[in-house]
Amino acid sequence: AHLNRHWRVPDWMLSSGLSARILVRISQDGQIISKKFVVKSSSSDFNESVERALQDAEPFPTPPPRLSRLYSEEGIEWGFPK
């Protein structure tokens, strides 16, 4: 939910069937350690909107203690639009 609030994409992109997946590693204080597309869309504008959303959402909420190692070492994979 936190990330979705920061993702701004024109309606035409949402209805175009574009999608992307990105793997993000997040530190214990909510900062992005690294990010890497697992699957890019065919639209550079769409991909840029994903990266912009991540940047705008930083810092992320503090990960729960039991998940902080997972978030920082293995990362979380997010799909856009879902």
Side-chain angles (χ1 to χ4, degrees):
H2 174 77
L3 183 56
N4 289 339
R5 287 193 297 262
H6 296 278
W7 191 44
R8 294 171 192 88
V9 61
D11 288 338
W12 70 266
M13 279 191 190
L14 288 176
S15 62
S16 68
L18 295 169
S19 65
R21 297 196 68 73
I22 193 164
L23 181 66
V24 182
R25 292 176 44 230
I26 299 173
S27 69
Q28 291 182 358
D29 63 355
Q31 299 298 315
I32 294 174
I33 297 169
S34 68
K35 60 184 183 263
K36 175 182 161 186
F37 277 97
V38 177
V39 177
K40 283 188 171 186
S41 81
S42 59
S43 166
S44 61
D45 289 338
F46 188 91
N47 297 332
E48 287 171 13
S49 76
V50 169
E51 291 186 310
R52 195 169 31 257
L54 289 167
Q55 182 179 1
D56 292 348
E58 200 172 17
F60 286 84
T62 303
R66 63 184 176 82
L67 296 176
S68 63
R69 186 173 176 199
L70 173 73
Y71 281 34
S72 65
E73 293 180 11
E74 295 180 35
I76 303 168
E77 190 173 312
W78 273 298
F80 291 82
K82 298 237 180 220

